Amino acid sequence: MNGLDIYNLLRVLTLAVSVLPAYQDLRTRLIDDRVWFTYLLPYSLLVYGLFTGMVLYLDIMIGVVISIVIIVVMVVASRFGFSLGGADYIMFAVIAPLSFVFEPTIGGRRLIIPGFIQVLFLSSLISIFYVVLKCIYINRNRFGSARGLKGKLELLYGYWVDSADELREIIVKEEEGRKFVTPGIPMVSFIFLAMVILVVIDLII
């Protein structure tokens, strides 16, 4: 096994163990805590690669730092009563040190942008499209009656309901017993999708 083989195997293992949490997030928005233990597989291979010199410490350094920052932010935020925990942050923290294997190469050269930034950017972009397209579909018959530009813009990120689904919708405001909600984002699923897209880009270019 050489350096290229271990990088490819890390990529495959990371994608493989990410399928189940992505599926659970998309279907129920509830992820079994035991699922995270499956990431011991790619992490064990990562440690092996580091000890054998087939994986460079520099490759994972940025991801590790970002992972630590995420955990620190979660801990500090929880002290002030902010609910920043949950599967989305766990997924980001877990994926960050492994994200270097998802950096696509163009013309035989890897992009200088860290893999985690690429995953974060793509998953965020997918989230924006998801929210906008879902709201456009739900509000497709309401744009004509919306008041002014502000009213029409609101319909691009939310919609009115009588009762909100706490797992799939976030309440923005309430008026006269009705709730204006924005779609909850299955971010774990979108992180997985972002990694798949980066692999496809790497294979095509």
Side-chain angles (χ1 to χ4, degrees):
M1 183 182 291
N2 56 37
L4 181 59
D5 290 336
I6 202 167
Y7 275 54
N8 287 331
L9 187 53
L10 274 170
R11 177 187 289 184
V12 171
L13 278 178
T14 303
L15 284 177
V17 298
S18 297
V19 170
L20 185 54
Y23 174 77
Q24 290 183 345
D25 188 38
L26 188 63
R27 288 297 300 273
T28 66
R29 302 293 168 84
L30 297 173
I31 298 176
D32 190 332
D33 290 337
R34 293 172 294 182
V35 167
W36 304 116
F37 288 103
T38 61
Y39 285 91
L40 289 174
L41 290 173
Y43 268 98
S44 296
L45 183 60
L46 180 63
V47 172
Y48 171 77
L50 288 171
F51 274 106
T52 57
M54 288 187 286
V55 173
L56 302 177
Y57 282 95
L58 185 61
D59 282 336
I60 69 167
M61 184 175 65
I62 294 177
V64 170
V65 170
I66 293 174
S67 182
I68 293 173
V69 169
I70 291 173
I71 294 172
V72 170
V73 168
M74 289 170 58
V75 172
V76 172
S78 65
R79 294 289 185 91
F80 289 92
F82 293 100
S83 179
L84 293 180
D88 298 344
Y89 292 94
I90 294 174
M91 184 68 166
F92 274 129
V94 167
I95 291 299
L98 297 165
S99 59
F100 66 95
V101 298
F102 296 102
E103 297 172 7
T105 57
I106 297 179
R109 295 184 178 182
R110 288 165 62 184
L111 298 178
I112 61 173
I113 303 173
F116 181 79
I117 301 301
Q118 296 182 48
V119 171
L120 178 62
F121 172 76
L122 269 180
S123 57
S124 299
L125 195 62
I126 293 169
S127 300
I128 293 172
F129 279 111
Y130 169 78
V131 169
V132 171
L133 291 176
K134 182 172 183 177
C135 289
I136 287 176
Y137 176 76
I138 292 175
N139 295 318
R140 59 190 180 280
N141 297 322
R142 301 171 184 166
F143 284 95
S145 59
R147 296 181 179 178
L149 179 60
K150 182 181 177 181
K152 287 179 170 57
L153 290 176
E154 279 189 339
L155 296 181
L156 294 178
Y157 68 84
Y159 48 90
W160 289 97
V161 296
D162 295 320
S163 179
D165 182 342
E166 294 182 0
L167 289 177
R168 297 180 179 276
E169 297 168 333
I170 301 171
I171 299 174
V172 178
K173 60 183 178 180
E174 296 185 45
E175 290 182 9
E176 299 178 354
R178 301 198 74 207
K179 299 175 177 63
F180 185 77
V181 301
T182 189
I185 298 171
M187 184 58 77
V188 171
S189 302
F190 292 163
I191 293 171
F192 171 72
L193 183 56
M195 294 189 294
V196 171
I197 291 173
L198 289 172
V199 170
V200 171
I201 291 174
D202 191 34
L203 294 174
I204 292 176
I205 299 181

